[in-house]
């Protein structure tokens, strides 16, 4: 669909030039993928639908989450936020700033409205895929409807030495907003290479 | 949900049931209480349940996808689920924040389409003006502007009230495109780098959605491009691709449901029918071009015409279509199809009552009469005899394409001597085939179908009814080899409907009323508990009387409903209808003046006297309708009701069967006819009038009960409509029960019962076609086997009936003249034998059959004739009997007829011939006059045909017979052929004489032919319409009444009147050509008068 621009399409310039411009994949996108892979490998999470980047962080339409899938066993929904940062501070401003990770994760952990929307989004993806995964989706919904069970995950991707302060601040802030039934996971992944080098090192230049 | 194995409870939970109940209760409260819109108790719970319904829908969707389009149950389950989604979201409050409101409303519209309730989407847009308060220019951010533009364009393309809506939708998309050049770049430049790609992808998705909206607007307006669905798929696929890349979750969901919703809209489009060949295609285009255009078909229409083969090649089609499906439009397409494929053929449109026949005739003329369609529509009235004009209509020489009539009349017309209808009939549309199960419809429809099957070889049959569970069986009976049964989802309704019981409590003058919904299991909503309707302190009757008297309770309730609702209140007979009207009027304030009501008031006063009670009731916005009123007054009442000009119409359960206009509420003081309980099928047919398109979203049907705890009414309304059974089967069972093991005597049965009389006529007709008794005996079982009912009888009862038929036929063969007359008149051979003797004794001669002398004041010949009829024809005698208010002599009846024919007004006849006046007596007298006229017309027709009448009726030419149109004059209450013709075209009796004279003066060929008469009437100057001496209506006013009765002015929601303003007048050449072909009725008339 991205190949070739049909003559007379809306996006020959403006938005189209952004969508179709060649260029490196941004490090933050790779960071989100890394977070997904880590959770899948180490925590048996599943992300059956494409990882995506929120275009907006608040209001309708568009607000959502970076990670949308299922936690271990596939019976509970998992929603998460990922921040990739090359800042030096602990925790980085991206985690604690105005609409940073802390704020976004707290929203996922507490806002019924946001969570229901994300569950509906999963359901409609099930529909789009012809019904694959309906049972799993239903089990996760039942789990949420009956016991409000959901996993909210916050993942920091950093290229500095590990430090507990990265997750303590986020965790303690978010815990205060977390609803009953919500499992809160806060992780920090520390890369051995600079964040800025991710595109080159992964071949996504 | 059980049928699919999917559990809704799994998705909805306990909260769902409570929220659903809350929404239903809110809807019912709004429906029964005056003023104000009650709020949901727990809006948040309702919103949650709405969301959960969306999730549940995914499961139903998957189930339907897996099953494929052939699995009707799974697909229906999905549709019902979407309908629930729509219903729940519709009940939720509209979000205040614009972006949330946009999402909310778009989902409502999409679910409405997916739930096959697009008309609900339109209604929602009409009722909730706030949802239109979106101004793209006021939105910050190009992304929000784009969405606002798209939103408004979708609203316009959904509403489609006029073509302008579709144009506006396209203009909005154009404005958006213009704005893109100005605002897009700035918006993207201001977006953070990290969000830029997502923002761009979101815009790309929205642009594709905009293209899809533009495509749908164009298609609904122009019918192109032909590959619209494939193009929609392409745009939505691209939109979904970009949206998923942007991570805009809510937009993903919207796209997932808007795509199939738009496809539904496109599939509903009338453009599909516009591609049909010939006049069908032209009619479809006219529907979209009229002043009240129709761009989309309703779900049952689309299903029947586009998917299930109603317009296919099947010879017999049984269509089970829910109420408010606009079956008439479907019939119109089928009629055009039949006329296209069989040039020179005639289609018949059969309805249960004369009132409906008038309504349908007006509609067909309006829709199909104008060029380029030019369909010639005539109505054959409900009179139980064939007059000269009607004989000509079916002679094969008249300009006729569609004949609208009742089952009994069509049967008579097929059998009438000289009739070519059997050969020319190419289609019979039976609307309201429910009446085949008998009830007030008698045996007419069933026998008619049997006759059509046997006698009309070219004719296809289309049977339409609200519910025919055994449709397939009936289709097979109609044609074993080439038939089809079509059924739409019986759960489909344009609006909700609640059925329940009303009651009152209180003391003295302080009364409170309540409504308890019932779970009927038949497409109604229900909720536990009671709803308070209102309270009254100044009602005309005390609480004790109201509690114990159903019509009193019904009257009080009628005053308590919101004035915006039009109500039908039903009593058991005319007496109750009058009492209710009186009570209601005492409590209602005078409404705003209304020109239509004023005109109707004048008309009623002119016909029935200024002191007639209905005149003052109309001042309060209350009408009355029952069989004891003249036909035209009843029609005027129905037109007023249809046009929303009456707040309440008080009527009887019997007359309500023949009404077909939408109301928002029905309050029944009785669920019985005067002689029997109303069958469940009839109740549900009546209930279907409430909650139709154009009415408030919830129709209310309630029984006013004195004792809600006795459970009788509750059980009654739970009785579902049964299969379409045979009236004949029931009649045979009952007759054999009464005979107690003895043989059936068809002659005796026919004398006492209209149904058996109809059956006897059928046998007489069959006998007339088989000259040899021996052969008839051999074929008796075969003849009977053509009826649906005979096949359903057990063996023993079949033999009993066959035996009775053979014996009856033997008597017919011994008296061939009586049997021939029996087939024509509907009277039994025994009756006719006695009548023939009476006619000979009376010494009636040829010269007596002269309108001038026969209807002269104090005409002895008329009195003698009335005497013969009243004494020798039991059916006529019964109709002429005037119970309770005293009998009048045959001279008196003769005087009534003479006055009636001479144009004397009803009120004056009542006073002069029946003595004491006063409101109550006048209403009884009016009913008696109508009864005497109808009975005398029928009797006179029979007497004319008899030996000894002085006429050789059967030896005459058709023109000579037509000149003796005296029974028609009696029936219509006029004294000339010209006036009879005018009455046939809806001219009120008060103006018919003058207008008829004008018509005859212009040397017009006085014969039926809609294209000439209607346009001539339309152009006749007001002064030719009146006033006559003593009249209180001006000529212009009479003409306006005529225009309404003829359908030139649609009552409400009808398409405009091009069809009636026909420009094509018969050219002088065509007039002279007709005159040359036949000597002309005027010539024959002059000879008769000489």
């Amino acid at each position: 669909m991205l190949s070739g621009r049909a003559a007379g399409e809306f996006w020959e310039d403006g938005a189209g030039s952004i969508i179709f411009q060649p260029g490196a994949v941004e490090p933050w996108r790779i960071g989100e993928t890394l977070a997904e892979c880590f959770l899948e490998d180490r925590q048996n999470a599943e992300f059956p639908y494409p990882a995506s980047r929120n275009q907006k962080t608040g209001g309708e339409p568009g607000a959502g989450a970076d990670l949308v899938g299922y936690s271990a066993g596939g019976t509970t929904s998992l929603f998460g936020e990922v921040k990739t940062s090359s800042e030096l501070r602990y925790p980085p401003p991206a985690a604690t700033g105005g609409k940073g990770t802390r704020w976004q994760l707290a929203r996922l952990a507490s806002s019924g409205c946001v969570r229901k929307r994300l569950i509906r989004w999963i359901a409609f993806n099930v529909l789009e895929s012809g019904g694959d995964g309906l049972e799993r989706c239903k089990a996760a919904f039942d789990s949420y409807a009956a016991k409000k069970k959901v996993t909210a995950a916050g993942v920091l991707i950093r290229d500095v030495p590990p430090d507990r302060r990265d997750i303590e601040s986020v965790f303690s802030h978010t815990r205060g907003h977390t609803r009953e039934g919500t499992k809160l996971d806060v992780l920090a992944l520390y890369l051995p290479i600079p964040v800025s080098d991710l595109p080159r090192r992964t071949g996504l230049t | 949900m059980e049928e699919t194995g999917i559990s809704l409870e799994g998705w909805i939970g306990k909260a769902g049931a409570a929220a659903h109940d809350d929404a239903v209760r809110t809807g019912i409260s709004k429906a029964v209480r005056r003023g104000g819109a009650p709020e949901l108790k727990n809006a948040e719970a309702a919103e949650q349940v709405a969301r959960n319904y969306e999730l549940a829908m995914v499961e139903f969707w998957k189930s339907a996808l897996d099953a494929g389009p052939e699995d009707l149950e799974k697909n229906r389950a999905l549709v019902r689920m979407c309908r629930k989604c729509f219903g729940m979201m519709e009940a939720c409050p509209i979000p205040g924040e614009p972006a949330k409101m946009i999402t909310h409303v778009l989902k409502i519209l999409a679910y409405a389409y997916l739930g096959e309730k697009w008309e609900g989407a339109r209604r929602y847009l009409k009722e909730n003006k706030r949802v239109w308060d979106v101004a793209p220019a006021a939105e910050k951010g190009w992304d929000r502007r784009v969405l606002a533009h798209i939103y408004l364009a979708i609203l316009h393309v959904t509403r489609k009230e006029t073509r302008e809506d579709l144009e506006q939708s396209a203009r909005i998309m154009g404005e958006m495109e213009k704005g893109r050049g100005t605002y897009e770049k700035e918006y993207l430049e201001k977006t953070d780098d990290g969000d830029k790609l997502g923002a761009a992808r979101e815009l790309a998705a929205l642009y594709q959605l905009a293209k899809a909206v533009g495509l749908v607007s164009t298609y609904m307006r122009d019918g192109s491009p032909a590959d619209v669905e494939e193009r929609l798929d392409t745009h939505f696929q691209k939109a979904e691709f970009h949206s998923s890349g942007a991570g805009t979750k809510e937009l993903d969901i919207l796209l997932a449901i808007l795509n199939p919703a738009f496809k539904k809209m496109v599939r509903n489009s009338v453009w599909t029918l516009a591609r049909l060949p010939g006049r069908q295609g032209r009619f479809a285009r006219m529907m979209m071009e009229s002043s009240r255009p129709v761009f989309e078909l309703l779900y049952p229409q689309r299903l029947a015409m586009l998917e299930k083969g109603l317009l296919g090649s099947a010879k017999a089609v049984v269509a089970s279509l829910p109420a408010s499906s606009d079956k008439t439009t479907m019939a119109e397409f089928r009629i055009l199809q039949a006329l296209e494929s069989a040039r020179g053929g005639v289609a018949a449109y059969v309805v249960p009552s004369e009132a409906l026949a008038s309504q349908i005739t007006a509609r067909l003329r309006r829709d199909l009469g104008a060029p380029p369609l030019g369909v010639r529509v005539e109505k054959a009235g409900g009179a139980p005899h064939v007059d000269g004009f009607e004989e000509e209509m079916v002679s094969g020489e008249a300009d006729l394409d569609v004949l609208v009539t009742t089952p009994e009349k069509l049967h008579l017309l097929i059998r009438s001597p000289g009739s070519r209808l059997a050969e020319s009939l190419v289609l019979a549309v039976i609307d309201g085939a429910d009446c085949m199960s008998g009830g007030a419809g008698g045996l007419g429809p069933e026998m008619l179908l049997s006759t059509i099957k046997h006698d009309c070889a070219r004719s296809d049959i289309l049977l339409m009814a609200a519910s025919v569970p055994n449709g397939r069986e009936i289709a097979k009976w109609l044609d074993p080899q080439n038939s089809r049964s079509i059924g739409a989802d019986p759960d489909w309704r344009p609006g909700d409907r609640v059925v329940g019981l009303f009651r009152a409590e209180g003391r003295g003058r302080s009364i409170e009323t309540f409504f308890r919904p019932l779970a009927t299991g038949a497409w109604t909503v229900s909720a536990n508990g009671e709803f308070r309707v209102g309270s009254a302190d100044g009602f005309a009757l005390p609480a004790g009387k109201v509690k114990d008297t159903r019509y009193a309770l019904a009257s009080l309730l009628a005053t308590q409903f919101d004035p915006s609702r039009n109500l039908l209140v039903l009593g058991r007979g005319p007496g109750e209808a009058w009492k209710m009207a009186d009570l209601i009027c005492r409590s209602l304030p005078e409404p705003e003046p209304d020109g239509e009501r004023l005109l109707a008031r004048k008309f009623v006063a002119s016909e029935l006297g200024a002191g007639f009670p209905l005149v003052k009731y109309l001042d309060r916005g209350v009408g009355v309708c029952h069989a004891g009123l003249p036909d035209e007054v009843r029609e005027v009442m129905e037109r007023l009701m249809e046009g929303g000009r009456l707040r309440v119409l008080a009527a009887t359960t019997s007359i309500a069967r023949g009404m077909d206009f939408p109301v928002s509420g029905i309050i029944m003081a009785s669920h019985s006819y005067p002689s029997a309980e109303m069958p469940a099928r009839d109740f549900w047919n009546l209930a279907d009038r409430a909650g139709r398109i154009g009415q408030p979203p919830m129709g209310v049907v309630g029984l006013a009960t004195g004792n809600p705890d006795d459970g009788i009414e509750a059980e009654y309304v739970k009785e579902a409509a049964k299969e379409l059974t045979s009236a004949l089967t029931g009649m045979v069972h009952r007759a054999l029960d009464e005979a107690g093991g003895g043989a059936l005597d068809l002659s005796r049965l026919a004398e006492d019962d209209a149904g058996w009389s109809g059956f006897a006529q059928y046998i007489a007709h069959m006998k007339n076609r088989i000259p040899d008794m021996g052969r008839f005996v051999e074929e008796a079982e075969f003849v009977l086997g053509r009826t649906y009912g005979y096949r359903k009888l057990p063996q023993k009862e079949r033999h009993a009936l066959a035996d009775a038929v053979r014996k009856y036929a033997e008597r017919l063969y011994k008296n061939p003249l009586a049997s021939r007359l029996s087939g024509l008149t509907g009277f039994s051979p025994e009756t006719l034998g006695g009548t023939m003797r009476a006619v000979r004794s009376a010494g009636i001669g040829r010269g007596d059959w002269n309108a001038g002398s026969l209807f002269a004041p104090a005409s002895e010949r008329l009195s003698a004739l009335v005497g013969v009829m009243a004494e020798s024809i039991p059916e006529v005698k019964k109709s002429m009997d005037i119970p309770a208010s005293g009998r009048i002599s045959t001279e008196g009846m003769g005087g009534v007829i003479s006055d009636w024919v001479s144009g004397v007004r009803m009120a004056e006849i009542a006073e002069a011939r029946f003595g004491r006046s006063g409101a109550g007596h006048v209403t009884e007298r009016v009913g008696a006059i109508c009864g005497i006229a109808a009975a005398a017309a029928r009797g006179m027709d029979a007497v004319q045909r008899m030996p000894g009448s002085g006429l050789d009726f059967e030896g005459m030419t058709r023109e000579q017979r037509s000149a003796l149109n005296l029974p028609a004059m009696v029936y219509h209450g006029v004294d000339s052929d010209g006036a009879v013709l005018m009455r046939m075209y809806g001219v009120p009796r008060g103006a018919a004489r003058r207008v008829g004279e004008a018509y005859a003066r212009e040397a017009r060929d006085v014969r039926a032919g809609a294209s000439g008469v209607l346009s001539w009437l339309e152009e006749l100057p007001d002064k030719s319409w009146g006033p006559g001496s003593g009249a209180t209506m001006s000529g212009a006013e009479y003409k306006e009444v005529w225009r309404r009765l003829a359908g030139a002015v649609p009552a409400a929601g009808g398409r405009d009147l091009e069809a009636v303003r026909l420009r094509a007048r018969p050219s002088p050449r065509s007039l002279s050509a007709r005159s040359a072909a036949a000597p002309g009725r005027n010539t024959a008339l002059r000879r008769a008068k000489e």
Side-chain angles (χ1 to χ4, degrees), chain B residues 2 63 95 99 101 149 237 263 294 346 367 437 439 522 545 621 746 757 804 905 953 959-960 1020 1033 1042 1051:
Chain B
E2 287 70 22
S63 177
M101 181 183 77
H149 277 295
Q237 276 164 22
K263 282 198 195 143
V294 174
V346 171
D367 291 349
S437 288
K545 185 83 176 170
L746 207 48
S757 175
R905 293 187 303 146
F953 213 75
E959 286 72 24
Q960 288 169 328
L1020 185 67
M1033 297 245 305
W1042 166 74

Side-chain angles (χ1 to χ4, degrees), chain A residues 103-149:
Chain A
W103 180 86
Q104 289 176 332
L105 192 58
R107 207 167 58 107
L108 286 180
S110 61
S111 169
C113 190
V114 168
R115 297 196 288 183
K116 282 177 218 160
R117 190 165 54 241
L118 290 169
I119 290 175
R120 275 207 317 283
W121 181 82
I122 295 177
F124 276 93
N125 270 280
V126 165
L127 178 67
E128 290 287 286
S129 65
D132 289 341
L134 177 63
E135 288 309 311
R136 188 170 49 185
C137 172
K138 201 160 175 241
F141 172 76
D142 286 344
S143 182
Y144 177 73
K147 297 176 188 165
K148 296 288 180 271
K149 284 176 86 171

Side-chain angles (χ1 to χ4, degrees), chain B residues 793-925:
Chain B
L793 287 169
Q795 188 81 329
K796 200 170 157 190
E797 292 184 10
R798 278 198 212 179
H799 287 155
L801 183 63
D803 205 42
V805 165
R806 271 191 284 272
K807 286 184 182 142
Y808 183 71
E810 275 174 20
R811 282 138 87 173
L812 292 178
Y813 278 99
K814 283 179 185 155
N815 193 347
L817 175 61
S819 89
R820 202 160 60 249
L821 288 177
S822 175
L824 293 172
T825 64
F827 299 130
S828 69
E830 285 73 17
T831 292
L832 290 168
T835 309
M836 280 191 265
R837 286 190 289 278
V839 167
R840 282 195 198 95
S841 303
I844 298 171
R846 175 70 181 82
D848 292 324
W849 297 106
N850 174 290
S853 56
L854 189 63
F855 300 127
S859 162
E860 285 179 9
R861 296 322 291 164
L862 183 58
S863 299
L865 196 53
V866 170
V868 165
M869 292 189 287
E871 296 307 317
S872 67
I873 309 178
E875 294 90 327
V876 170
K877 184 178 179 195
K878 203 189 289 189
S879 301
M880 285 183 167
D881 245 346
I882 308 158
S885 22
R887 300 174 62 86
I888 61 171
S889 63
T890 51
E891 287 78 19
M893 282 194 233
V896 168
I897 294 168
S898 170
D899 288 347
W900 172 248
V901 170
S902 304
V904 177
R905 293 187 303 146
M906 273 219 178
E908 289 163 21
I909 300 176
E911 190 160 340
R913 299 292 174 181
F914 292 92
R916 270 178 316 149
S917 62
H921 298 290
V922 171
T923 61
E924 283 170 355
R925 305 295 190 257

Side-chain angles (χ1 to χ4, degrees), chain B residues 310-542:
Chain B
L310 188 135
L311 300 179
S313 59
K315 191 158 167 65
V317 174
V318 175
S320 177
L321 301 164
S324 208
S325 305
D326 190 11
K327 293 192 275 292
T328 307
T329 295
M330 293 187 251
E332 285 172 329
F333 275 99
R334 184 67 186 88
I335 286 169
L336 290 172
Q337 181 193 43
L339 297 178
E340 287 291 290
S341 56
R343 293 282 170 178
V346 171
Y349 197 122
V350 183
V351 290
S353 70
E354 169 137 26
L356 278 173
S358 298
Q359 194 178 334
I360 295 290
T361 304
R363 164 99 185 248
L364 295 186
R365 281 178 177 158
R366 207 166 49 232
D367 291 349
L368 307 180
L373 300 178
V375 173
R376 298 159 299 193
V377 182
E378 296 288 354
K379 181 189 99 169
H385 63 268
V386 178
D387 67 36
F389 293 111
E390 289 163 349
E391 216 180 301
E392 185 176 348
M393 263 189 231
V394 298
S395 66
E397 292 174 25
D399 296 332
L400 177 66
D401 293 316
V402 182
L403 182 65
V404 183
T405 187
T406 59
E408 295 75 17
K409 192 56 174 270
L410 182 61
H411 208 189
L412 211 51
L413 287 168
I414 291 173
R415 303 193 313 251
S416 174
S419 167
R420 304 296 306 278
L421 195 54
E423 292 86 15
S424 59
L425 194 68
V426 294
L427 172 68
V429 176
I430 318 290
D431 193 352
D434 315 66
C435 55
M436 217 174 95
S437 288
L443 202 55
E446 191 172 346
M447 295 294 102
L448 171 67
L449 284 169
S450 302
T451 299
I452 292 174
K453 276 180 45 163
H454 180 254
D455 291 2
C456 309
R458 288 172 76 193
S459 182
D460 293 347
I461 295 175
L462 169 59
L463 211 69
M464 302 192 294
S467 169
V468 191
N470 55 335
R472 202 179 296 276
E473 186 191 342
I474 294 189
K476 285 276 179 222
W477 164 61
L478 290 172
D479 191 308
Q481 283 157 350
N482 187 14
S483 59
R484 191 179 281 270
S485 172
I486 295 172
D489 182 354
D491 280 357
W492 181 87
R493 285 290 180 281
D496 285 328
R497 189 182 51 198
V498 62
V499 175
L501 305 178
F502 289 107
R503 71 174 183 90
E505 64 180 42
R507 293 180 69 175
R509 291 284 169 179
S510 184
I511 310 170
E512 284 197 62
T513 50
F514 299 89
F515 177 72
R516 176 159 66 94
L518 295 172
T520 66
W523 328 301
T524 60
V525 299
S526 183
N528 292 327
E530 272 193 333
F531 294 78
R532 188 168 164 280
V533 177
S535 60
D537 289 315
F539 190 60
L541 295 176

